[in-house]
Amino acid sequence: MSFILTNQSVGIYLAPIRPQNAESLLELRLRNRVVHSRYEPKREESFFTLNGQKQLILQRMEEEELDRAYMFGIYSSEEKRLIGQITINNIVRGVGQFADLGYFIDHAQQGRGYMTGAVGLAANYAFQALGLHRLQAAILLHNDASRRVLEKNGFQAEGIARRFLKIDGQWQDHRTYALLADEVTSEGDRPM
């Protein structure tokens, strides 16, 4: 998979992350490690190494080959610099045709609309290129920024998943959101 998804009005593009991007991904992870720790699972120290990031990328590439996950870097169009990551994962085919969406952005880039634009691009890819019916995300109850990103993209809250994921060392409740393919027009616009 080698292509770029662009949102010119926001000033970002998505591109598949490959092993040659491991150093940039590691720098991004290290720069945000403390700030994002309350939103992420506890990770082994080896995750925060160049080899750890290469292994993650290789694992995602294997999952891509099996049509189970697709990982993209979020890049600033102006600076051509990696500012975040977004992943369509846990893809279910057959009668389900759905996937989970996960993402993060450099804390210094928050509040600029980049993540909202990236989620829109990923949703369009999920529905148009992958042919999925449903894209879902689960966010911590206190993550208001992520809630706004999803809602701006037309995702609807569906309920609370109790003690859903082990984040920052504790099983925590998450609010689930979903967007369906038929809620998105062919131009990628979402209902407001």
Side-chain angles (χ1 to χ4, degrees):
M1 175 173 75
S2 178
F3 57 87
I4 293 176
L5 306 170
T6 305
N7 183 323
Q8 292 179 345
S9 64
V10 175
I12 56 132
Y13 64 91
L14 304 185
I17 295 181
R18 295 296 182 242
Q20 62 267 27
N21 308 118
E23 192 170 325
S24 296
L25 186 57
L26 176 60
E27 289 170 8
L28 180 67
R29 288 270 186 199
L30 291 174
R31 197 168 48 249
N32 291 278
R33 184 176 182 178
V34 173
V35 175
H36 287 174
S37 64
R38 67 187 193 132
Y39 302 107
E40 299 233 342
K42 295 259 187 216
R43 303 201 189 265
E44 299 291 328
E45 284 301 315
S46 61
F47 180 81
F48 296 100
T49 65
L50 186 57
N51 187 55
Q53 292 305 296
K54 283 182 182 175
Q55 291 306 311
L56 171 67
I57 293 167
L58 292 173
Q59 175 188 345
R60 289 297 190 201
M61 288 175 68
E62 286 178 22
E63 292 170 340
E64 182 183 304
E65 288 292 318
L66 298 170
D67 189 37
R68 292 185 185 154
Y70 298 85
M71 182 170 70
F72 299 94
I74 305 167
Y75 294 85
S76 162
S77 297
E78 186 177 318
E79 300 173 21
K80 309 277 190 276
R81 185 172 64 89
L82 183 66
I83 60 170
Q85 176 197 311
I86 190 163
T87 305
I88 300 166
N89 59 10
N90 301 323
I91 295 173
V92 173
R93 293 297 186 180
V95 298
Q97 297 297 327
F98 65 88
D100 294 328
L101 185 68
Y103 49 83
F104 77 93
I105 194 158
D106 189 330
H107 71 279
Q109 303 296 326
Q110 291 178 337
R112 299 179 185 189
Y114 295 151
M115 197 74 254
T116 299
V119 167
L121 288 171
N124 288 340
Y125 182 78
F127 297 136
Q128 294 174 10
L130 300 179
L132 295 177
H133 164 71
R134 172 188 170 92
L135 192 58
Q136 56 196 31
I139 62 168
L140 290 165
L141 301 183
H142 63 272
N143 193 341
D144 291 329
S146 194
R147 176 187 53 78
R148 286 190 300 273
V149 163
L150 293 172
E151 289 174 351
K152 286 178 184 177
N153 277 287
F155 282 74
Q156 295 181 30
E158 295 188 323
I160 305 293
R162 298 177 304 126
R163 296 175 49 189
F164 186 58
L165 297 173
K166 194 171 189 179
I167 301 295
D168 197 21
Q170 298 178 23
W171 290 104
Q172 297 195 43
D173 295 349
H174 284 66
R175 185 174 310 281
T176 59
Y177 284 81
L179 180 66
L180 306 180
D182 60 7
E183 296 172 336
V184 180
T185 68
S186 60
E187 292 80 35
D189 295 327
R190 277 153 209 51
M192 297 310 244

